[in-house]
Amino acid sequence: MRNPILFALATALPLAFGTSTAAAEDFCVAKPRCIGTAITAAQLPTRLFEAGSNGTADRFFLGATTFANGPYTYSSDERMELIGASGGGSILQSGVVNRTILTLVGSAASVTGVHVEVAIDTGVAVTLSGATAHDLTLTHLLGTQAGGGVLLNDGATLADSHISMTGDFALGVVSSIGSATIVGSTISSNNGAVAASSPSGELTVARSILHAPLGAEALGSRLTVTDTLVDGRGATSTSFGLASIAQGPVTAELHARRTTVVGWNTTSGGAIGAYSAAEAGGTSTAEISDSAFVDVGTAFLRSASPGGVANLTARWNAHADPLEVIDEGAGTLTESDRLPEPTGFVDAANGDFRLLADSPLVDAGDPDADLVNAVVDLDGAPRLADGNGDCVPRLDVGAFERQPSGPCTPADAGRAGETPGGPSDGPGGPSGGPGGGPGGPGGSGPTGDHVKPILSALHVPARLTRSKRLPKLGASRRAPAIAFRLSERAKVTLRFARRGRGGRYRTLHSSLRVSARAGASRLGFGGQLTRRARLAAGRYRVTLTARDAAGNSSRPLTVAFRIG
């Protein structure tokens, strides 16, 4: 199971730079109507290089054009921000064959809203060492070769980004030195999506989508994957979702929690859910919990060559029965608390693996699961929700958490008219029904409605196309929309804030208010707030709060997006 591309990854990074007397300032690179020192696209590589030794922080604002003069390199402990134009129109390309297009070294270096394009044969397209990339788009043009998409080293972070590699052997994202983090990102590859190959560090993948024949691999390293969809559909050969592989005398370690792994062929056995393997002298350990395995021929495979040890422990996972389990060589394969075949998805045929109300995965996870890091699911909705409405919140199995659709009913409810809080006061009692008791609807007395509405499943496309149409509830699934779910009828207020320089948000005066019913809602939205007020192109965040007729307010939910 060796992956030859790992040995071709370039890990040598520039360490020495000349001095420069350039003043610290904002640079406007091929960007009109920008306040700062104007420089041309051709000057960007030199100015970016020099900024690493001028003694102060710098920011580079890129215009909406193609920059084809790479490679682009920055290496320094000084603060530097490379900021793309709104709408993703700042495209970086390299003019040198087989070189990294963008290299950022330093914990204070960052890139935001930039599109890196592999237009000629390239080594690793982007290398981040200690640096942060947010809202990075990487595309691999057909007919070109690339050694890999993104290389993460020494504490680097890739967040809210989209990586797409079309080459036969190119990996999406690899960590090779020290620790690294991937969060809220979509990574697609014709080969492997994510691989960790740092013996001394750890790669953490959270709330992401991995679309590739080989999903997430720990190759002589430690890999943690949580609240993530691993989608192997479309693979034309053997695929696996999660793997721990000790190649030679090394230790590999995989911890996967709350994942949904989708294979491509249930009859041929070509898709493997989770895999633990060790060569001579190596030790491999895989721990899989609270995860769903869909359309896989082999749920678990454990294999150790002579002299190697491979272990696999599975708890509270859902997969079909009967399903092949391969167990060979030194080590152990232990499975407990297995759940039935995962079903009940919103639209599995089209890749929507969120849970329906009748899914056997709802409230079926480990009741004693360690939820220290289980704050939200892949959609950003709260974990440990009461999805089946029995008033006992419990973890769902898989990457998505079903949210409550209305008031709960205790599974052990007593005689009619009795509620968890004690005897009912009849119609208009604590349940807040019509008639409301003293004070009427919304009264604050002891018989008023004190149940807060639950606002959940908030989703906004990462990028919205501007439209002059006014916001309207009931938008089709093809239309750009702000989607959310309510536990009861309520008025929903949407407040917007625009992101400015330095990443700070400024709240706008204009807001929206809509009356929505219980259940799922889609508010058609293209930036038009009122007939006169409209969001300009840029980055925003929206905060939603629901308020019911009794005056109870929900917990606010916030999500970031871009208008372009």
Side-chain angles (χ1 to χ4, degrees):
M1 296 296 295
R2 289 182 181 272
N3 197 320
I5 192 61
L6 289 176
F7 302 98
L9 290 173
T11 59
L13 299 173
L15 299 177
F17 291 84
T19 60
S20 170
T21 59
E25 56 188 326
D26 288 347
F27 293 94
C28 302
V29 192
K31 185 178 180 65
R33 296 185 298 277
C34 168
I35 300 175
T37 300
I39 64 174
T40 66
Q43 292 175 307
L44 176 59
T46 299
R47 291 299 185 96
L48 185 64
F49 180 88
E50 293 176 343
S53 57
N54 64 11
T56 51
D58 295 281
R59 295 187 298 183
F60 291 82
F61 295 94
L62 308 184
T65 187
T66 298
F67 300 82
N69 302 100
Y72 303 93
T73 301
Y74 179 85
S75 181
S76 177
D77 291 331
E78 299 172 12
R79 183 175 182 84
M80 190 283 298
E81 299 174 71
L82 188 63
I83 303 169
S86 300
S90 301
I91 302 174
L92 299 185
Q93 296 178 348
S94 179
V96 182
V97 175
N98 294 328
R99 288 284 301 277
T100 297
I101 301 171
L102 176 63
T103 300
L104 298 183
V105 182
S107 60
S110 67
V111 56
T112 302
V114 168
H115 182 177
V116 176
E117 191 173 75
V118 179
I120 61 175
D121 290 354
T122 302
V124 180
V126 176
T127 294
L128 303 175
S129 184
T132 298
H134 181 268
D135 192 19
L136 175 73
T137 301
L138 172 60
T139 55
H140 184 184
L141 301 185
L142 291 173
T144 62
Q145 297 295 321
V150 180
L151 179 63
L152 302 176
N153 290 326
D154 295 326
T157 297
L158 180 71
D160 302 320
S161 296
H162 292 76
I163 310 300
S164 178
M165 303 301 294
T166 58
D168 291 336
F169 300 105
L171 293 171
V173 181
V174 176
S175 67
S176 67
I177 301 174
S179 62
T181 300
I182 301 170
V183 61
S185 297
T186 299
I187 302 167
S188 301
S189 171
N190 287 347
N191 183 26
V194 170
S197 61
S198 172
S200 61
E202 177 178 5
L203 174 62
T204 299
V205 181
R207 294 188 293 106
S208 294
I209 298 174
L210 312 179
H211 186 83
L214 312 180
E217 310 171 71
L219 300 173
S221 183
R222 179 183 173 92
L223 172 64
T224 300
V225 183
T226 59
D227 307 293
T228 289
L229 171 64
V230 184
D231 189 351
R233 292 176 305 151
T236 57
S237 59
T238 299
S239 68
F240 60 75
L242 305 163
S244 174
I245 304 173
Q247 299 175 318
V250 296
T251 298
E253 194 173 333
L254 168 69
H255 301 272
R257 306 181 186 95
R258 307 177 303 276
T259 64
T260 298
V261 177
V262 185
W264 68 279
N265 192 326
T266 57
T267 58
S268 70
I272 300 167
Y275 176 37
S276 179
E279 297 181 354
T283 300
S284 172
T285 300
E287 296 181 348
I288 318 295
S289 63
D290 299 295
S291 297
F293 296 90
V294 185
D295 291 348
V296 298
T298 301
F300 306 118
L301 188 154
R302 189 198 65 80
S303 177
S305 301
V309 178
N311 300 301
L312 192 152
T313 303
R315 298 184 66 248
W316 295 95
N317 299 300
H319 61 75
D321 182 30
L323 195 64
E324 183 180 15
V325 173
I326 299 176
D327 187 11
E328 57 188 16
T332 60
L333 191 157
T334 304
E335 182 177 14
S336 61
D337 302 297
R338 185 181 69 79
L339 300 166
E341 180 177 3
T343 57
F345 301 109
V346 171
D347 189 359
N350 291 304
D352 189 343
F353 291 94
R354 292 175 297 162
L355 305 181
L356 294 171
D358 60 352
S359 172
L361 305 182
V362 175
D363 283 14
D366 183 356
D368 299 318
D370 178 9
L371 297 176
V372 173
N373 296 317
V375 180
V376 295
D377 70 352
L378 178 54
D379 264 350
R383 277 293 190 183
L384 201 62
D386 180 21
N388 65 4
D390 66 354
C391 300
V392 182
R394 182 172 170 179
L395 184 71
D396 291 354
V397 172
F400 299 94
E401 186 84 5
R402 172 81 184 182
Q403 300 300 304
S405 58
C408 65
T409 302
D412 58 350
R415 64 184 184 275
E418 186 171 311
T419 68
S424 171
D425 289 328
S431 62
S444 59
T447 58
D449 176 6
H450 298 285
V451 179
K452 295 181 178 180
I454 298 174
L455 179 65
S456 62
L458 174 60
H459 176 75
V460 182
R463 184 174 300 157
L464 288 170
T465 302
R466 296 181 74 192
S467 169
K468 293 184 178 180
R469 293 184 179 179
L470 290 171
K472 184 178 180 180
L473 283 171
S476 70
R477 289 195 170 273
R478 293 186 178 182
I482 298 174
F484 56 89
R485 180 176 290 274
L486 281 172
S487 62
E488 60 176 299
R489 179 181 294 274
K491 289 185 178 180
V492 180
T493 300
L494 298 85
R495 293 183 174 86
F496 298 86
R498 184 169 185 177
R499 181 174 175 173
R501 293 183 178 180
R504 295 183 178 181
Y505 284 90
R506 179 178 60 84
T507 301
L508 306 182
H509 293 297
S510 299
S511 62
L512 292 176
R513 181 173 294 176
V514 295
S515 295
R517 67 181 188 278
S521 293
R522 288 177 57 82
L523 178 67
F525 185 70
Q528 195 76 30
L529 301 175
T530 66
R531 294 188 183 278
R532 296 183 178 182
R534 184 183 183 192
L535 297 183
R539 293 183 178 83
Y540 296 85
R541 68 183 182 194
V542 59
T543 299
L544 275 66
T545 306
R547 186 180 179 90
D548 64 15
N552 302 304
S553 295
S554 71
R555 182 175 62 86
L557 292 181
T558 300
V559 67
F561 66 96
R562 174 191 293 174
I563 286 282

